[in-house]
Amino acid sequence: MADRKPGFDTLALHAGTAPDPATGARITPIYQTTSFVFNDVQHASDLFALRAFGNIYTRIMNPTQGALEGKVTALEGGTASLATASGHAAQLLVFHTIMQPGDEFVAVRQLYGGSINQFSHSFKSFGWHVVWADAEDMGSIEKALSPKTKAIFIESIANPGGRITDIAAVAAIARKAGVPLIVDNTLATPYLCRPLEHGANIVVHSLTKFMGGHGNSMGGVIVDGGNFDWSKSGRYPLLSEPNGSYHGLKLHETFGNIAFAIACRVLGLRDLGPAIAPLNAFLILTGMETLGLRMQRQCDNALKVAQWLKNNPRVSWVNYAGLADDKHHALAQKYCPRGAGAVFTFGLKGGHEAGVKTVSSVKLLSHLANVGDTRSLIIHPASTTHSQLSADQLKLAGAGPDVVRLSIGLENVEDIIADLDQAIS
Ligand SMILES: *Cc1c(COP(=O)(O)O)cnc(C)c1O
């Protein structure tokens, strides 16, 4: 065959996971080991000095983790990736690589509640300051920039509101400011949206959600777009300056378009330690083989459920960008043409009380704090995932008192609708 570019489903099955070179095993084994034997002293010293790539110790690198990273890199169209213990660990390592104490970054308020907490509280103790903006107002993002700004952070599809962010517009602002755009692509997955193609520089995921897809393993990943010049401004010293823990090595100069992923691994992961367990990497790899099939069916089901809710007299509004009359429909068609994801919110006319009653009455749907399972899930964010937020933050995050969040699964859609019907009634 000529140089055919493999399609998404082919990559989801084959990228990163060639037969095991040691045994021929077709499925990537779970390399359940902490450490790897060196060939000789020279090999060991080359590995430690980053003169050669290879396995040393599972906190830093492991072949099962490496297979997962290869698959994600191919699906997102990046240059390299780093898998981590969770989505939050991925975010921690990204900012650890970019930020110095006293620095600022701009994030939009339309984010997963856990990220709002991480940014506003825990990051403060590192001296990293978040400045909030509004994803629907590009002017507010520009206004939030200052000479201390080191990055801009958005979600492609925002959790829980299901809103679509205009990635290319934010990327243009980031480019002008000379800072990288980081996109959390958890709810879209690369099947629906590839942020690097729209000008993003770094993509992060919670692999815990749709990527693994079966609700059985925690994981996260950082994808290096290889498209940001870390040395130009001198404002990213971990990448551009001689590194004291590697005998003065300059990471960007040495590793070029994979320098960011390397820095996250050999500085962040090495020293902060949130490595993914090989078993979890294996389970997520298996889940990712069917990513395209699952996402398409879950989006199709979500659209049917959203249409049904829209016509339900007890429902006051439905926020799903897949609906033709939704205010984010045009953005959804631009960034997620195959479907607007499977997580969305709706409001009940009965407010807070009706929301609590509905989540208490479902039988098929699971009432829990996760999204992206094969099963359909339901939650009332104001009393759970977003309960640490103030009333103002709740509203801005799309998690007001009457809001119910759904993550639609792979069941027969008639069964999902029947369960919601009895619960809402
Ligand atoms: C769940 C989630 C995270 C955090 O990921 P964990 O794997 O739970 O640490 C980050 N962003 C989004 C959009 C999420 O849904």
Side-chain angles (χ1 to χ4, degrees), residues 85-91 111-115 118 153 155 157-159 184-187 204-209 217-220 369-371 405:
S86 68
H88 269 8
Q91 292 170 194
L111 293 187
Y112 171 64
S115 298
Q118 186 189 44
F153 186 99
E155 290 178 5
I157 302 182
N159 179 358
D184 180 341
N185 200 31
T186 298
L187 291 201
V204 292
H205 279 277
S206 168
L207 298 175
T208 315
K209 314 292 171 54
S217 311
M218 302 293 300
N370 191 22
V371 295
R405 183 185 75 191

Side-chain angles (χ1 to χ4, degrees), residues 91-92 95 105 118-128:
Q91 292 170 194
L92 172 63
F95 284 102
F105 68 101
Q118 186 189 44
F119 295 173
S120 15
H121 301 294
S122 291
F123 277 10
K124 250 197 211 152
S125 52
F126 296 94
W128 308 337

Side-chain angles (χ1 to χ4, degrees), residues 311-323:
N311 293 318
N312 188 301
R314 289 188 170 85
V315 171
S316 44
W317 53 267
V318 180
N319 211 337
Y320 183 58
L323 293 169

Side-chain angles (χ1 to χ4, degrees), residues 7-13 15 70-78 190-191 193-194 197 211 288 291:
F8 186 90
D9 295 317
T10 306
L11 288 174
L13 283 160
K71 201 177 282 300
V72 175
T73 301
L75 294 180
E76 283 288 5
Y191 177 74
C193 176
R194 273 181 295 283
E197 290 173 1
M211 294 285 261
M288 280 180 62
L291 181 61

Side-chain angles (χ1 to χ4, degrees), residues 355-372:
V356 170
K357 217 166 188 171
T358 297
V359 298
S360 313
S361 310
V362 290
K363 296 187 175 113
L364 178 69
L365 274 67
S366 302
H367 174 211
L368 53 74
N370 191 22
V371 295

Side-chain angles (χ1 to χ4, degrees), residues 214-279:
H214 294 71
N216 59 21
S217 311
M218 302 293 300
V221 75
I222 300 160
V223 185
D224 188 344
N227 56 358
F228 188 82
D229 186 341
W230 299 103
S231 303
K232 191 171 161 196
S233 69
R235 296 168 67 213
Y236 302 95
L238 238 51
L239 288 139
S240 64
E241 297 304 306
N243 192 279
S245 70
Y246 286 107
H247 301 294
L249 191 74
K250 293 182 180 175
L251 291 174
H252 183 221
E253 186 183 284
T254 309
F255 297 111
N257 71 356
I258 58 170
F260 187 77
I262 301 248
C264 289
R265 183 191 305 278
V266 304
L267 302 174
L269 189 60
R270 182 194 67 174
D271 295 346
L272 301 175
I276 188 167
L279 173 61

